[in-house]
Amino acid sequence: MTTILIVEDEEAYRKPLEYALTREGYKVVAVADGDSALQVVRSEWVDLILLDLMLPGISGTEVCRKVREESDVPIVMVTAKDDVVDVVLGLEIGADDYVTKPYQLRELLARISAILRRSRDLPDAGKVLQVGPIEMDVGRHEVKVRGALVDMPLREFELLEYFLRNPERVLTRGQVMDRVWGEDWYGDQKTLDVHVKRLRSKIEDDPHSPKIIVTVRGLGYRIIPPVA
Ligand code: CA
């Protein structure tokens, strides 16, 4: 059975969530503060954590950091609309996704099942990565879009590989830069814009209205596999 840990101090959010997730067939453990959350993570198997960021006692981002020191369990942060800084921090210390309060329960459930699916089905290093019309053979260093080989310099290839390995996940600009350009990119994020623009011109039907590499304002990008 899939176990979801809810960390939420507000009963008005915790109770309905507990009810909805149980009805969906999940086993639910619900706690109201960060210390209890860490205790649960250390003592029982958890498949996913729904983590409110504004908690009494230790903060949600601190909980996220501590969990990541010991576990790869998927973490979805739950935030207020104006918590952008915390969301960026949370994503950079290893949270997988976020939702903003007030959220649509249906959207949250969809997000949860997408993340669970992804965490069970992580691609192997040598495998062909596929998202929508894009096929990447990492070993042969080849990219095909709608079946046609596309020329791709190394950086673009690495950037696309990172995107394809993390579909449906928000990747902050800082994360992408660190991952693809290394730690020493000195804050010049224009390079990233240029590379994303080139990638879009190669993979999107309409690069001016991207449907695959989607910009998440103020945060970064999310790769959305097109619906077949
Ligand atoms: Ca709260």
Side-chain angles (χ1 to χ4, degrees), residues 94-117:
D96 295 81
D97 206 343
Y98 72 100
V99 289
T100 311
K101 282 178 179 172
Y103 45 76
Q104 296 289 325
L105 207 46
R106 209 196 299 167
E107 192 209 333
L108 180 61
L109 292 172
R111 209 66 80 68
I112 288 172
S113 67
I115 288 169
L116 286 170
R117 210 183 321 117

Side-chain angles (χ1 to χ4, degrees), residues 192-205:
L192 176 58
D193 296 329
V194 171
H195 281 76
V196 168
K197 202 172 162 187
R198 283 196 203 129
L199 269 186
R200 279 173 171 158
S201 73
K202 293 175 184 179
I203 66 172
E204 300 277 0
D205 278 335

Side-chain angles (χ1 to χ4, degrees), residues 24-181:
E24 289 291 308
Y26 297 112
K27 182 186 166 204
V28 178
V29 181
V31 298
D33 64 86
D35 281 317
S36 313
L38 291 172
Q39 268 176 28
V40 172
V41 172
R42 282 168 193 152
S43 61
E44 56 188 287
W45 177 260
V46 171
D47 294 280
L48 183 141
I49 303 176
L50 266 180
L51 177 62
D52 182 31
L53 287 189
M54 289 284 284
L55 292 169
I58 55 173
S59 72
T61 44
E62 197 49 35
V63 173
C64 185
R65 194 194 311 274
K66 290 215 162 95
V67 169
R68 267 297 162 271
E69 285 168 7
E70 340 184 339
S71 158
D72 288 329
V73 58
I75 299 174
V76 179
M77 300 176 288
V78 181
T79 75
K81 243 199 177 66
D82 45 5
D83 278 349
V84 182
V85 174
D86 282 344
V87 171
V88 172
L89 178 64
L91 291 168
E92 291 183 347
I93 59 183
D96 295 81
D97 206 343
Y98 72 100
V99 289
T100 311
K101 282 178 179 172
Y103 45 76
Q104 296 289 325
L105 207 46
R106 209 196 299 167
E107 192 209 333
L108 180 61
L109 292 172
R111 209 66 80 68
I112 288 172
S113 67
I115 288 169
L116 286 170
R117 210 183 321 117
R118 193 173 74 211
S119 75
R120 287 189 193 111
D121 189 27
L122 284 181
D124 301 330
K127 211 169 137 183
V128 173
L129 304 173
Q130 187 159 19
V131 168
I134 309 159
E135 260 176 82
M136 170 180 278
D137 187 328
V138 180
R140 300 172 69 170
H141 200 89
E142 276 179 6
V143 181
K144 286 182 187 167
V145 180
R146 291 164 204 91
L149 271 177
V150 170
D151 184 42
M152 212 162 268
L154 183 61
R155 256 336 166 201
E156 274 171 55
F157 187 90
E158 288 172 342
L159 179 60
L160 184 60
E161 180 184 355
Y162 183 46
F163 282 153
L164 296 185
R165 285 190 188 282
N166 294 279
E168 291 175 76
R169 173 171 185 169
V170 176
L171 303 168
T172 69
R173 297 173 60 84
Q175 255 173 329
V176 177
M177 294 299 292
D178 282 352
R179 189 60 176 262
V180 179
W181 278 267

